[in-house]
Amino acid sequence: MATKQPADLIPNPFIKKRNLQWTLSPPKPPNPSSPPNAPSSPKCNTTTNKPSPPTTAAIESGKAHIANPLAHFTTHLENHVLPCPAPLLPIPSYASLYAGSLTSQSSHFVIHQHDHPIAGLHYDLRLQINPSSSVSWAIMYGPPGDPNSTRLNRNATETRIHSLWNHLIETASPQTGSLLIWDTGTYTVLPRRSKHAPRADPSSQPSPDDEERPQQELLEAAFHNRKIRLQLHGSKLPETYILNMRLTKREDAEGRAKSSRAPRTKRRRVKRADPETSSDSGDVADEDDEDEETTLVPKGRQPDGQEVSRIALEAELQELEDAEIRRTNAYPGASNTIGSIHQRKWYLSLDRKACGFQERLQGGKTVWQLPSTSASSASTPDTRGEKDAMQRLSFPFYVRGVEHERSVVTARTGGDIMRDERVQGFVRRKGWLPVLK
């Protein structure tokens, strides 16, 4: 008897079309060495038969959690170290630096190069404030390195309190861009004297109590005074690199007023989309949808009651988490013990005298020079090539941007990290130019 061909089959009207897309695969044979009631294992990598680790982007965004960030990122970065040029901070030193910073006595810092698709390229300075958290500023053009620059002052915008393990991260994604460890190490809070204060007696000795105070405590006191004098002990920055940070009364008041405003409420609705797209696709919403929180579902079908409830619950939980972040100005896992206010504008500048520069008159104008350098070398731009990019910086230096700057840990550029994380579809914001004069 002839068998029916697939074209001769009559479709069952009671079977939903989307269910016809399901396929069945036979279960794997049980492992004889495992007990009969053993629990099922998590999703595994078919080539190595080991659980697939979460991506660095998922960990950085908080969508995935790991028990030991240091071990995870040490292993991850070790697999991506470039052989040439050699990094300034080897992986073992990178790991031991962080391992010794989990106490109230430590003072860890990191400068991240963040190439964000919306905010643009900027450099995040993060300073440890307690054993688990760090205060953060976004510096638009990176740390200044030329004492005679026409733009010696930089805007430093206060951002959310980050978890300390965030100092370990190098990652990339289409939505957040690339994150690169530009430099990392420890910091020292230096005393700051007012120009109106009386001169100190050179024969007087500093108080022993001041010398024994933890750097975290000194940073908090300077932070509340809105004037911070900071020395960064990194692997890339010059050995004597000292910054002044200040917050004016006006910017302080405006920042506090802005943070006290109630956030705009969001309307939730379900939005239809193509089957290939998702909420992480990076598509730009229409202007009419700017204040709406949208959830994308496959085109051609409406979500059922259970899916609508799940979508609403996820959106509500996200709203609660966002409201808590706005209230505390801290990401989950971090604690704002320093009283940080989101988006206050600080001013950051190079402390030229403390860095060793001296004022000299040259051609009828005042220039700042190191005592051991000539006028020509002090004013000549840094023209070192790519092969010398991983040498410790010397004055004057310039932060040249995402195509030139390298990670102090892996020697990678932002493009290398994009490639290693298999990021596709990233659109860089244009218009960023380095300050070279």
Side-chain angles (χ1 to χ4, degrees):
M1 184 177 66
T3 59
K4 288 186 178 182
Q5 299 297 324
D8 300 330
L9 294 176
I10 300 174
N12 189 337
F14 298 102
I15 298 179
K16 296 179 180 180
K17 291 184 179 181
R18 68 171 183 265
N19 290 339
L20 296 176
Q21 300 177 357
W22 288 88
T23 59
L24 296 177
S25 57
K28 294 182 179 180
N31 188 352
S33 61
S34 61
N37 296 328
S40 59
S41 60
K43 184 177 180 181
C44 296
N45 188 321
T46 55
T47 58
T48 61
N49 202 27
K50 294 181 180 180
S52 300
T55 63
T56 55
I59 298 172
E60 195 271 340
S61 64
K63 296 179 180 179
H65 301 277
I66 53 177
N68 192 338
L70 177 59
H72 177 87
F73 288 109
T74 298
T75 302
H76 179 76
L77 296 183
E78 199 169 20
N79 295 330
H80 296 292
V81 175
L82 295 183
C84 183
L88 285 172
L89 186 66
I91 293 293
S93 301
Y94 152 89
S96 61
L97 175 67
Y98 180 83
S101 67
L102 304 179
T103 68
S104 59
Q105 306 291 324
S106 53
S107 55
H108 199 282
F109 91 88
V110 70
I111 297 178
H112 273 132
Q113 176 185 273
H114 193 181
D115 188 17
H116 196 276
I118 299 176
L121 178 63
H122 59 276
Y123 292 79
D124 294 311
L125 170 63
R126 312 194 204 279
L127 306 175
Q128 182 179 6
I129 57 172
N130 58 52
S132 65
S133 314
S134 60
V135 65
S136 178
W137 290 268
I139 307 170
M140 181 57 65
Y141 295 102
D146 184 355
N148 299 300
S149 173
T150 57
R151 298 196 62 173
L152 186 67
N153 293 326
R154 306 288 164 88
N155 289 332
T157 303
E158 204 170 336
T159 61
R160 310 286 187 197
I161 298 294
H162 284 66
S163 296
L164 190 68
W165 56 261
N166 191 269
H167 292 200
L168 300 167
I169 291 180
E170 282 191 355
T171 185
S173 73
Q175 294 77 32
T176 60
S178 62
L179 198 67
L180 174 150
I181 301 177
W182 191 83
D183 200 4
T184 187
T186 60
Y187 68 84
T188 300
V189 179
L190 302 177
R192 188 182 186 280
R193 293 180 54 81
S194 171
K195 62 182 180 180
H196 303 292
R199 292 183 177 272
D201 184 1
S203 61
S204 63
Q205 299 295 327
S207 172
D209 295 337
D210 293 338
E211 292 182 347
E212 296 177 0
R213 293 176 65 186
Q215 295 301 316
Q216 295 176 19
E217 185 178 333
L218 295 174
L219 176 62
E220 182 173 357
F223 186 87
H224 290 162
N225 290 332
R226 308 192 313 276
K227 295 179 178 64
I228 305 174
R229 191 161 171 259
L230 193 71
Q231 183 172 3
L232 300 180
H233 313 280
S235 297
K236 177 182 290 188
L237 289 168
E239 295 181 358
T240 304
Y241 187 76
I242 299 175
L243 294 171
N244 285 325
M245 301 180 64
R246 63 185 179 91
L247 173 68
T248 65
K249 291 183 179 180
R250 176 180 176 182
E251 296 292 353
D252 184 20
E254 290 181 357
R256 292 180 183 276
K258 187 175 181 179
S259 66
S260 62
R261 298 173 191 165
R264 293 184 297 178
T265 58
K266 296 182 179 180
R267 303 187 303 275
R268 292 190 299 271
R269 70 183 181 90
V270 175
K271 181 179 179 180
R272 295 171 61 182
D274 295 332
E276 300 278 330
T277 60
S278 67
S279 59
D280 294 332
S281 62
D283 295 338
V284 179
D286 297 333
E287 292 183 2
D288 296 338
D289 300 334
E290 185 177 359
D291 295 335
E292 296 183 354
E293 185 172 321
T294 59
T295 303
L296 305 180
V297 297
K299 189 177 182 179
R301 70 177 179 89
Q302 294 294 333
D304 53 22
Q306 184 177 4
E307 187 171 1
V308 170
S309 300
R310 179 186 61 80
I311 292 172
L313 178 60
E314 290 180 353
E316 185 175 354
L317 292 175
Q318 185 64 45
E319 275 189 13
L320 291 174
E321 181 176 298
D322 292 345
E324 182 66 11
I325 292 174
R326 287 191 297 268
R327 185 185 70 83
T328 62
N329 193 44
Y331 286 110
S335 55
N336 186 1
T337 57
I338 202 171
S340 175
I341 303 295
H342 188 53
Q343 290 189 344
R344 286 192 301 188
K345 290 184 175 63
W346 292 62
Y347 298 97
L348 181 147
S349 62
L350 187 69
D351 193 327
R352 294 177 288 194
K353 288 186 177 180
C355 290
F357 291 96
Q358 297 177 355
E359 287 184 278
R360 293 181 181 177
L361 192 63
Q362 178 183 343
K365 60 184 297 186
T366 300
V367 295
W368 291 82
Q369 298 177 3
L370 293 173
S372 58
T373 60
S374 62
S376 58
S377 62
S379 59
T380 302
D382 185 3
T383 58
R384 287 177 295 178
E386 191 73 15
K387 63 180 181 180
D388 298 325
M390 293 312 294
Q391 294 179 355
R392 180 181 284 274
L393 296 173
S394 58
F395 294 112
F397 70 86
Y398 306 93
V399 179
R400 299 180 180 274
V402 67
E403 296 180 354
H404 302 276
E405 302 299 324
R406 293 182 177 273
S407 164
V408 73
V409 178
T410 62
R412 297 185 293 176
T413 65
D416 295 331
I417 297 177
M418 288 281 190
R419 184 195 65 244
D420 293 340
E421 299 293 331
R422 296 181 174 86
V423 173
Q424 296 180 352
F426 172 72
V427 179
R428 175 175 292 115
R429 180 175 176 176
K430 299 180 180 180
W432 192 90
L433 294 174
V435 177
L436 301 178
K437 60 179 182 179

